[in-house]
């Protein structure tokens, strides 16, 4: 979503002419009343096209695998005008084959971060920082966040902590679901913490940031629980990430999961394919339960060391 122009940009692989293409949707509502023409951003075959909006520079960034150029990791900057989009020059951010790219904008550093799986290094999970200038993008050096096969990578920016969480399937540990905390420093990215969010194997990970509750939503397929669609609520504190516990949002075989946050309504929407219902595309509204606490170091003294009736003197354990 391009908030400056109030438009939505969709990037995709155009099977009709085997190109990477994009289209702009305007006058968002139901039905959509304005659709622009298709624009080619990569004349070769592409895969894994993922987008992010750079609100500081007012640009759209597309990260993808350029299958016409040895499957190299590539990114390009787009500028929306009306219902049209124009592009700068593609820039290779990884000279090896990639898969599962996920791109996110970090407004605190005015950078974009692309997390991906590097086929030139045993499909290790990596992240790299990009800097936009006009319609160009340049990159620093990639950092490894997991020295093992990393799949279904999904990155999300936590605006409350100015940090990035990267969730992924850890192929080096029985395909379990894990997440790391990352922090941009100049043109580099530092990995500062990690945690396990699912002890069984996972697929189809997607993340979103709930700015109403300052929580990260992680949705995925839980292969250890009948492939049910599952969600977790997470939060970053310092350099660590914690999880509240899993909840199944769909008690059937669920794939192709994507979660997005609706800031107008303070809710997240999880969209997925329900295989046990003829493979229908399905959506559910998800919101974490927040608990209000008013205890402070001033109004909480302690707990009594036993049971006392009214009027008795009590001993308090501070």
């Amino acid at each position: 979503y391009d908030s400056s122009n109030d438009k939505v940009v969709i990037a995709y692989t155009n099977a009709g002419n085997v190109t990477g293409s994009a289209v702009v949707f305007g006058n968002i509502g139901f039905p959509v009343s304005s659709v622009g023409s298709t624009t080619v951003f990569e004349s070769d075959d592409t895969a894994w096209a993922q987008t992010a909006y750079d609100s500081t520079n007012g640009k759209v960034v597309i990260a993808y695998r350029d299958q016409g150029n040895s499957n190299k990791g590539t990114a390009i900057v787009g500028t929306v005008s009306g219902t049209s989009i124009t592009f700068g020059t593609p820039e290779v951010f990884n000279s090896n084959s990639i898969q599962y790219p996920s791109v996110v904008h970090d407004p605190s550093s005015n950078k974009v971060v692309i997390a991906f799986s590097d086929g030139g290094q045993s499909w290790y999970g990596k992240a790299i920082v990009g800097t936009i200038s006009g319609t160009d993008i340049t990159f620093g050096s990639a950092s490894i966040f997991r020295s093992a096969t990393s799949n279904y990578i999904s990155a999300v920016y936590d605006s409350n902590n100015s940090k990035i969480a990267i969730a992924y399937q850890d192929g080096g540990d029985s395909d379990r679901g894990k997440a790391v905390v990352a922090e941009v420093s100049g043109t580099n990215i530092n990995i500062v913490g990690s945690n396990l969010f699912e002890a069984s194997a996972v697929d189809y990970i997607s993340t979103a940031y709930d700015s109403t509750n300052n929580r990260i939503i992680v949705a995925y397929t839980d292969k250890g629980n009948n492939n049910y669609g599952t969600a977790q609520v997470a939060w970053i504190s310092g350099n660590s990430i914690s999880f509240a516990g899993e909840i199944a949002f769909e008690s059937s075989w669920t794939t192709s999961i994507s979660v997005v946050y609706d800031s107008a309504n303070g809710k997240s929407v999880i969209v997925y394919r329900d295989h046990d219902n003829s493979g229908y595309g399905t959506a559910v509204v998800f919101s974490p339960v927040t608990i209000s606490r008013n205890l402070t170091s001033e109004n909480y003294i302690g707990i009594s060391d036993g049971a006392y009736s009214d009027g008795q003197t009590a001993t308090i354990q501070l």
Side-chain angles (χ1 to χ4, degrees), residues 51 63 87 154 201 245 266 310:
T51 61
F87 291 99
S154 183
D310 188 22

Side-chain angles (χ1 to χ4, degrees), residues 31 33 86 117 171 189 202 235 237 299 315:
S33 56
T86 56
S117 183
I189 188 163
V202 300
W235 61 94
S237 178
N299 69 19
T315 299

Side-chain angles (χ1 to χ4, degrees), residues 18 21 32 69 75 99 105 116 127 130 147 174 177 197 205 230 289:
V18 196
S21 302
V32 176
N69 186 26
Q99 60 185 9
H105 176 235
F116 61 96
S147 298
S174 304
F197 67 81
I205 301 169
T230 305
V289 175

Side-chain angles (χ1 to χ4, degrees), residues 113-290:
V113 172
I114 302 175
F116 61 96
S117 183
D118 184 358
Q121 195 171 358
S122 302
W123 300 110
Y124 283 7
K126 292 185 176 182
I128 196 167
V129 175
T131 304
I132 292 176
S133 178
T135 58
D136 296 325
I137 185 168
T138 56
F139 292 96
S141 299
S143 296
I144 297 172
F145 65 81
R146 179 63 173 116
S147 298
T149 300
S150 303
N151 299 318
Y152 296 106
I153 296 168
S154 183
V156 61
Y157 177 71
D158 180 339
S159 58
N160 188 52
N161 293 281
S162 300
K163 292 180 180 174
I164 294 168
I166 304 172
Y168 64 101
Q169 179 204 72
D170 188 350
D173 187 17
S174 304
D175 291 344
R176 292 175 174 175
K178 295 184 179 179
V180 299
V181 179
E183 190 172 46
V184 173
S185 177
T187 57
N188 297 315
I189 188 163
N190 300 320
I191 309 303
V192 295
S194 65
N195 200 359
L196 174 80
F197 67 81
E198 180 55 68
S200 58
V202 300
D203 281 339
Y204 300 102
I205 301 169
S206 182
T207 57
Y209 183 68
D210 179 338
S211 57
T212 300
N213 297 291
N214 291 327
R215 292 291 185 265
I216 295 167
I217 310 301
V218 182
Y220 57 96
T221 300
D222 185 352
K223 298 177 74 173
N225 187 28
N226 302 303
N227 292 304
Y228 286 179
T230 305
Q232 293 231 29
V233 177
W235 61 94
I236 293 174
S237 178
N239 292 334
S240 64
I241 183 168
S242 303
F243 295 88
E246 63 187 66
I247 181 171
F249 62 81
E250 179 60 75
S251 298
S252 64
W253 180 23
T254 305
T255 63
S256 305
I257 297 169
S258 182
V259 57
V260 63
Y261 177 68
D262 176 358
S263 58
N265 293 286
K267 308 284 185 181
S268 294
V269 177
I270 304 174
V271 184
Y272 56 96
R273 185 181 183 188
D274 185 351
H275 283 265
D276 289 349
N277 188 27
S278 304
Y280 285 177
T282 311
V284 63
V285 177
F286 181 87
S287 182
V289 175
T290 56

Side-chain angles (χ1 to χ4, degrees), residues 62-124:
I62 304 174
Y64 58 99
R65 183 171 75 182
D66 186 350
Q67 300 192 155
N69 186 26
S70 303
N71 298 318
K72 293 178 180 179
T74 309
I76 196 167
V77 177
T79 306
V80 173
S81 178
T83 55
S84 299
I85 186 169
T86 56
F87 291 99
T89 303
E91 182 71 21
V92 173
F93 63 83
N94 194 73
S95 58
N96 302 313
S97 175
I98 68 153
Q99 60 185 9
Y100 300 109
S102 180
V103 56
V104 63
H105 176 235
D106 180 347
S108 64
S109 63
N110 190 22
K111 305 291 184 182
V112 295
V113 172
I114 302 175
F116 61 96
S117 183
D118 184 358
Q121 195 171 358
S122 302
W123 300 110
Y124 283 7

